[in-house]
Amino acid sequence: MQLKELTIGDLVIKYPIIQGGMGVGISRGSLAGAVSANGGLGIISTAQIGYDEPGFEKDENKANLDAIRKHILKAKEISGGRPVGVNIMVALKNYKAHVKAAIEAGADVIISGAGLPVHLPEYASGSKCKIAPIVSSAKAAKVILQNWLKKAGRAADFIVIEGPKAGGHLGFKKEQIEKITDEDYDEEIKRIIETVKGFEDKCGQKIPVITAGGIFSHDDICHALSLGASGVQIASRFVATDECDADEKYKQAYVNAGEKDLAIIDSPVGMPGRAVRNKFVQYIENNKIPVKKCFNCLEKCNPAEVPYCITKALIDAVRGDTENGLVFAGANAGRIDKIVPVHVLMEELAGNRQQA
């Protein structure tokens, strides 16, 4: 199947492929810029994006805001001015400031999950930035779309559906994740699309629906489109690229992982997550790691009660300590067997070449 353009309002993306935002430091300016330059929509994660900025240890908020601006500008330069977006977690302590900084720096799109982004329309008001919530059910889609329409008088510019095969934080209860079949979730996707259609009719505008979680190949993209989606979001496959912002050892952890080397963990964010089952994950299954320093990342986090510091765990991993850090990954990460340039992966996903 030849893929059609993805249109989000006045933004036109060559391929209907959005690269998922991955924090901490996995998808920043280098990766997002390369994806946008090669026909997709690159997404920067703002979660502790400034972990390697001078002064991060003393003022995390300032370092993160500085890094948001720096990496959006970097991505724009690499992409040749093509659209670039950001992923901002609702659970962040400085959520509003991240939204404002991203808009000021020229982000074209904000995707927001890890909670329902009820205030996003307010924070983005007056800007041309496109905004999208992440949902995992028809119920959640209805709640957030009704909320935006009632309180802000507007629709979402698009919707991202994250299924149970996604990496990182998941919008499901832990016991649900392994029980939901592909067929079951296909039906849920159709229900979400039908729910969104009702709001399209009310608002008189197109609201593209993007599906995410477990999408690995061109055939997977075609299947998502056959369900009625306008496009897909893919994250894990972009980790194993030359341009990914993570340390080479982090990328190699994906290449080395087998299909059975993944686990569902409890995150201090308050949601389950999927990660590579390394030494760190095996340890936290039965033990707590005392938090020695708080990085002020999450709105709802008591350092004395959480099982470990997620910021430290993610920073350790992105810097290359992939045994003692947290390596988030999607359900199909075990199928990745090599690191390739973004342009090669994009052409494969678009169906223009065989799998790399």
Side-chain angles (χ1 to χ4, degrees), residues 293-308:
K293 172 181 170 51
C294 178
F295 291 90
N296 299 303
C297 59
L298 300 176
E299 180 64 35
K300 296 178 181 179
C301 176
N302 183 341
E305 296 179 357
V306 295
Y308 57 93

Side-chain angles (χ1 to χ4, degrees), residues 27 32 36 55 61 90 99 106 143 210 234 240 252-253 277 280 300 350:
S27 63
S36 290
N61 187 45
V90 177
V99 171
V143 167
I210 310 300
I234 300 172
Q252 199 61 42
R277 195 170 186 273
F280 174 84
K300 296 178 181 179

Side-chain angles (χ1 to χ4, degrees), residues 31 237-244 248 251 339-342 345:
L31 177 57
R237 292 214 63 189
F238 285 102
V239 171
T241 60
D242 294 336
E243 295 89 343
C244 175
E248 290 300 310
K251 303 175 191 182
I339 298 168
V340 299
V342 163
L345 177 56

Side-chain angles (χ1 to χ4, degrees), residues 115-191:
L116 291 178
V118 293
H119 296 295
L120 183 55
E122 172 194 344
Y123 299 159
S125 178
S127 76
K128 294 181 179 179
C129 187
K130 307 296 187 271
I131 58 174
I134 296 175
V135 300
S136 296
S137 67
K139 180 181 178 181
K142 184 177 181 180
V143 167
I144 194 66
L145 291 172
Q146 281 183 334
N147 178 280
W148 285 14
L149 191 58
K150 180 180 179 180
K151 294 188 176 180
R154 64 160 297 170
D157 293 297
F158 63 108
I159 297 281
V160 177
I161 305 171
E162 268 193 359
K165 288 188 173 182
H169 295 113
L170 304 168
F172 301 87
K173 294 180 179 177
K174 201 170 183 180
E175 59 270 18
Q176 290 178 306
I177 295 170
E178 299 300 333
K179 293 181 180 179
I180 301 172
T181 67
D182 291 347
E183 293 74 20
D184 288 341
Y185 207 70
D186 280 356
E187 292 303 312
E188 187 65 22
I189 289 170
K190 291 177 184 178
R191 284 190 286 270

Side-chain angles (χ1 to χ4, degrees), residues 60-71:
E60 299 91 349
N61 187 45
K62 182 180 183 302
N64 285 328
L65 297 178
D66 288 345
I68 288 170
R69 299 181 186 100
K70 180 173 83 173
H71 284 283

Side-chain angles (χ1 to χ4, degrees), residues 84-101:
V84 169
V86 295
N87 179 296
I88 307 177
M89 293 170 52
V90 177
L92 295 178
K93 183 170 286 187
N94 295 296
Y95 177 71
K96 181 179 179 179
H98 282 216
V99 171
K100 294 291 187 181

